[in-house]
Amino acid sequence: TVIFESRRLGVADVPRNCAPLKKMTVSDIAIAQIDLADKEKGEVNLDASSHKIADGKSYDTDVLKELERAQRRQWAVGGAVGVLDVALVVATIVAGRLAFVEPPRDGAIDTTALAGWLGLCGAIMIFGGASIMIKTPSVEEANCDCMVFQCYCSTAVAVVSLLVWAIGSAEGPSLDVIDGGSVLCGALFAAIWVSSQVLCVNGIQIIGAAVAVAVIDGVTICTSFFWGVLAFNASVRSVAGVAVAMTMMVLGVCLATASSVISDREAAARRAQELRILAEGTPQSRRTSQQSCTSAALSVQALPTATSDAPEDPGRLRKKVVGIFCALGMGLGNGSLMVPMALFQHGLPALGIREYAGEELASLAFLPSISIGIILAQLVLFLLYWGPAMCRGRMPEFHLRKVAVPGLLTGVYWGLGNFCAMYATIYLGQTVGFPLTQLCLVVNGMWGILFYREIRGRAALATFVLASAVILGGAVLQGLSC
């Protein structure tokens, strides 16, 4: 009998005598028995209700206690992250008031504005940890639909945006900043954001987080830069320098992705060896291997059949293409996310959008329009997404007890990070400010290394360090070239 972590295992990790595991959750105790004595049948027997496996042996609750500790750690870290995020937002607002600098116009950038740099740092730090609550065991257990989870996030972003606007306005909130043009910009912002988030989830599910993140961040950096140059007349001092900088950042993203792939492969090889020893070795070697495996619990992923000669799925290539297009769509949407705010700030008479002329910074004045737009766009997109299934009698499951609070907190984090990113974009421009927020990939990777232990092994860690250096070097070069 062995206990192992299914989420981290691939096809090559499971001995040939193992049949595919059915989907299991933490509440199902997540304990499986592989009957190694019956190698021909390769049955996997579960008896979650009694905390026993099919041979009648009772397991101690070490695995369950570890899951509970992980849940508590997750909430403690989530609370600390929330406090840090609020502090970064407050610092950005205070700097914008005490050291006010007139926002640049006509695509120019102003590197002397302290609020712009604080906004950039805040966006990097907040976005880098915005997804930590998604890793909460209860969320993984629920296996919630991406649009349902997005409903919680959208609700929190709308509320947080209103609160920041109400508290951060120097002379108090004024409804004068809301008109037809601003609501149109807010709805456009929300439609891009909600749809791109759904594309992101689907892309990651199809082609995996490693490849999807590389595609998304690379396309985001390029898209944001080209919006600044082509649509907002941003000046570029050195075209060659910008080209090299963007190449470096995209290369760094690919290296960061490679570090995750290397880590997963090394971990898979270790686990495969442990399972082989357990299946074929002596009783003593089995006990040793079992002890090395009992620290991991099953996740909510299912394992495919471990046969190297399995026939190729005829729809597999088509599915991968769909996943790549989802990641490309997310990158295009993410890179275009600040365009509605720029339209709100500078105006576009052809669409009936007036140039913002208020005393508050555009990043603050735009927040109520974002809230209204998110409420409208989320409702429309939810009905488009779930409407056909609901007409057939299939209702969405909202998993209130398990998913509501993590989903709302994820939206709170993202809303605060988005506010900081708008400050960075106003002062540092669409060509520098928003692309540099993608440095959050480095922060996200540090979370994966130091807290979640997702990247292990010398080769993987060395690759990630190199990736971070390349990304940071590209970011500095881009700042000097614009």
Side-chain angles (χ1 to χ4, degrees), residues 76-87:
V77 170
V81 167
V83 172
L84 174 62
D85 293 353
V86 171

Side-chain angles (χ1 to χ4, degrees), residues 110-122 423-424 427-428 432 436 479:
D110 189 342
T111 58
T112 64
L114 177 61
W117 290 108
L118 282 176
L120 175 62
C121 294
Y423 260 88
Y427 284 110
L428 302 179
V432 177
L436 291 187

Side-chain angles (χ1 to χ4, degrees), residues 117-180:
W117 290 108
L118 282 176
L120 175 62
C121 294
I124 292 171
M125 295 300 296
I126 296 173
F127 282 148
S131 62
I132 60 170
M133 297 310 296
I134 299 176
K135 298 177 183 290
T136 304
S138 62
V139 175
E140 294 186 341
E141 174 189 359
N143 195 26
C144 183
D145 178 81
C146 58
M147 182 58 81
V148 171
F149 192 85
Q150 184 61 39
C151 287
Y152 293 118
C153 292
S154 296
T155 301
V157 171
V159 173
V160 165
S161 297
L162 286 176
L163 288 176
V164 173
W165 170 61
I167 297 173
S169 300
E171 300 179 358
S174 172
L175 297 179
D176 294 339
V177 298
I178 304 175
D179 58 20

Side-chain angles (χ1 to χ4, degrees), residues 223-304:
T223 301
S224 180
F225 175 81
F226 285 119
W227 269 115
V229 172
L230 300 178
F232 300 108
N233 302 318
S235 60
V236 176
R237 286 184 289 182
S238 172
V239 176
V242 167
V244 173
M246 292 180 62
T247 301
M248 290 178 64
M249 286 193 285
V250 173
L251 176 61
V253 169
C254 294
L255 287 172
T257 299
S259 69
S260 177
V261 173
I262 293 171
S263 177
D264 287 346
R265 288 180 177 176
E266 290 181 348
R270 289 193 299 269
R271 289 186 176 91
Q273 182 64 23
E274 290 171 352
L275 290 174
R276 292 191 188 97
I277 293 174
L278 189 62
E280 302 171 3
T282 64
Q284 177 62 34
S285 65
R286 291 186 184 184
R287 284 194 296 272
T288 302
S289 183
Q290 181 177 346
Q291 291 172 357
S292 66
C293 295
T294 53
S295 61
L298 282 169
S299 179
V300 297
Q301 306 294 328
L303 289 176

Side-chain angles (χ1 to χ4, degrees), residues 115-419:
W117 290 108
L118 282 176
L120 175 62
C121 294
I124 292 171
M125 295 300 296
I126 296 173
F127 282 148
S131 62
I132 60 170
M133 297 310 296
I134 299 176
K135 298 177 183 290
T136 304
S138 62
V139 175
E140 294 186 341
E141 174 189 359
N143 195 26
C144 183
D145 178 81
C146 58
M147 182 58 81
V148 171
F149 192 85
Q150 184 61 39
C151 287
Y152 293 118
C153 292
S154 296
T155 301
V157 171
V159 173
V160 165
S161 297
L162 286 176
L163 288 176
V164 173
W165 170 61
I167 297 173
S169 300
E171 300 179 358
S174 172
L175 297 179
D176 294 339
V177 298
I178 304 175
D179 58 20
S182 69
V183 172
L184 177 60
C185 291
L188 178 60
F189 176 97
I192 293 174
W193 176 58
V194 174
S195 57
S196 62
Q197 293 300 307
V198 174
L199 288 173
C200 177
V201 173
N202 287 325
I204 289 175
Q205 288 177 343
I206 295 173
I207 61 177
V211 177
V213 168
V215 175
I216 290 169
D217 281 8
V219 175
T220 295
I221 291 169
C222 297
T223 301
S224 180
F225 175 81
F226 285 119
W227 269 115
V229 172
L230 300 178
F232 300 108
N233 302 318
S235 60
V236 176
R237 286 184 289 182
S238 172
V239 176
V242 167
V244 173
M246 292 180 62
T247 301
M248 290 178 64
M249 286 193 285
V250 173
L251 176 61
V253 169
C254 294
L255 287 172
T257 299
S259 69
S260 177
V261 173
I262 293 171
S263 177
D264 287 346
R265 288 180 177 176
E266 290 181 348
R270 289 193 299 269
R271 289 186 176 91
Q273 182 64 23
E274 290 171 352
L275 290 174
R276 292 191 188 97
I277 293 174
L278 189 62
E280 302 171 3
T282 64
Q284 177 62 34
S285 65
R286 291 186 184 184
R287 284 194 296 272
T288 302
S289 183
Q290 181 177 346
Q291 291 172 357
S292 66
C293 295
T294 53
S295 61
L298 282 169
S299 179
V300 297
Q301 306 294 328
L303 289 176
T305 305
T307 54
S308 59
D309 54 350
E312 183 76 14
D313 182 1
R316 186 176 181 183
L317 179 59
R318 190 185 318 116
K319 195 172 182 181
K320 284 186 176 180
V321 171
V322 171
I324 291 174
F325 272 101
C326 286
L328 289 172
M330 167 59 181
L332 290 171
N334 199 35
S336 306
L337 196 57
M338 291 295 122
V339 172
M341 190 201 66
L343 294 177
F344 170 80
Q345 181 182 7
H346 302 295
L348 185 63
L351 295 178
I353 302 173
R354 297 180 301 173
E355 181 179 0
Y356 173 66
E359 296 182 359
E360 291 285 357
L361 281 175
S363 55
L364 265 173
F366 188 45
L367 290 177
S369 299
I370 287 180
S371 297
I372 296 173
I374 285 177
I375 293 172
L376 296 175
Q378 180 63 62
L379 178 61
V380 172
L381 292 174
F382 180 85
L383 292 176
L384 289 174
Y385 185 93
W386 268 102
M390 293 170 69
C391 291
R392 294 192 299 268
R394 182 187 170 210
M395 298 293 114
E397 296 183 41
F398 284 88
H399 304 282
L400 283 171
R401 186 175 61 86
K402 298 177 181 178
V403 177
V405 176
L408 291 171
L409 284 177
T410 300
V412 169
Y413 300 156
W414 194 93
L416 296 175
N418 177 63
F419 173 75

